[in-house]
Amino acid sequence: MKQKSYRFRFYPNKTQKKLLTQYFGAKRFVWNTCLAWRSNFYKENKESVTGVDYSRELTWLKKFEPYSWLKEIPSSIATQCLRDQDKAFKKFFKEKETGYPKFKSRHRQQSIRFQMDQRVVMNNYRAGSLLKIPGLGKVKITWSRNPIGIPKMVTVSLDTAGRYFVSMGIEEAIQTKPPVEKTAGIDLGTLTSMTLSDGYEVPNPRHLLKRKYQLKKLQQRLARQQKDSNRRTKTRVRIGKLHARIADCRREYCHQVTTKIINENQVIVLEDLNVKGMTASSKGNKEKPGKMVKQKSGLNRSILDVSFGEIARQLEYKADWYGRTLIKVDRYYPSSKLCSTPGCDYKADKMPLKIREWTCPQCQAVHDRDINAAINIKNEGLRSIAPAGMKGLQLRDSASEGVYSMTVSPRNYDQPNSCQERL
Ligand SMILES: [Zn+2]
């Protein structure tokens, strides 16, 4: 049984919309006040407090007139929100995966989570084109896919284009895919977004780049427009819609790419993306990547920095679903500096980004920078699993055969299939 996630668009009626606006507001209030309280409490007393502590504060707060509206909000929303914040802090402190939790803005995507009461939900959480959400009643929904199980929890969200979605994780049995022979090393490169060890270059998402450009133009316009003017509001709405569309494109693009890779390869090797490094050095500037892409700057990073993590995440869970092996190699592994010719151990001292193609002084092989890096990543990954026994060895064999017998991408080597022939 694997956890599979679904996302459906739904269409609340007027009353439901009003309710949702209140709920979103309440959640923001709880999240933000709790976050501020926590941070201040720590600054002043050097002691950390949890969501449970704040829950008590909240009960006390409700007694006062300006906050009495909180009584009308289902208490589960606050509880869930505080739980989520606890989790966010835990992630920040323990796993060092993410940055410090941020305040929620009403201009961004809104979301709340509902626990589904299993007793109520069991038989009738969906009926025809309806979904029953606690605290909201039945909502009209498009079942674009057909989930088999019953969700324990649903997340209701409103994106910046004004669309409502409900997402749910459902435990389902997933059929693994029939095994294939190939192994892929993936280089998260620069000029193209990704290169595979077989020479396939994942094309740049051009439509995404175009929209990014439009977004930049609109943001410049917004900056020029007068505060509180109608035109400014209009621009802001357009920006919101564009943001949502960019998110759609990116999601779809990532899925296309990862599904293709998973379908065609049995073993997939990629660099371990250090998310911690990214968030730590990209503080205060969301668009700039940090350490992880450090030696890979100068690319269209506004798109790539977001997608890298997502692509890795999708590859990981899809590999798990479909019975593929995913290997991560150390992100400090010098994949672009090493020569990938079997038997050659040349390592360059430096490999500046502008060098797209280079000749190994030891074996004279001509390398395409990204393909060479991807092959190194693949071999390193296979080396790391080789001691596991026969399976590893077999993989390694078929892999080293496969290295240069591939058809190389349009950006070709000058010499016909270089390395092995020269050896
Ligand atoms: Zn060499």
Side-chain angles (χ1 to χ4, degrees), residues 338-341 343-346 358 360-365 367 419:
L338 291 167
C339 169
S340 63
T341 309
C344 177
D345 58 357
Y346 177 75
W358 56 284
C360 171
Q362 213 162 291
C363 71
Q364 308 304 318
H367 294 299
C419 295

Side-chain angles (χ1 to χ4, degrees), residues 247-265:
D248 287 352
C249 279
R250 183 184 285 140
R251 192 178 305 117
E252 197 191 327
Y253 180 72
C254 286
H255 275 297
Q256 272 174 14
V257 170
T258 53
T259 302
K260 184 179 158 63
I261 294 173
I262 289 284
N263 281 343
E264 292 173 1
N265 298 282

Side-chain angles (χ1 to χ4, degrees), residues 221-222 224-237:
R221 186 187 297 173
L222 189 79
R224 279 196 307 267
Q225 281 168 332
Q226 257 176 359
K227 294 251 154 74
D228 302 320
S229 66
N230 280 336
R231 280 163 189 267
R232 193 184 160 94
T233 315
K234 260 186 204 160
T235 314
R236 172 166 291 147
V237 171

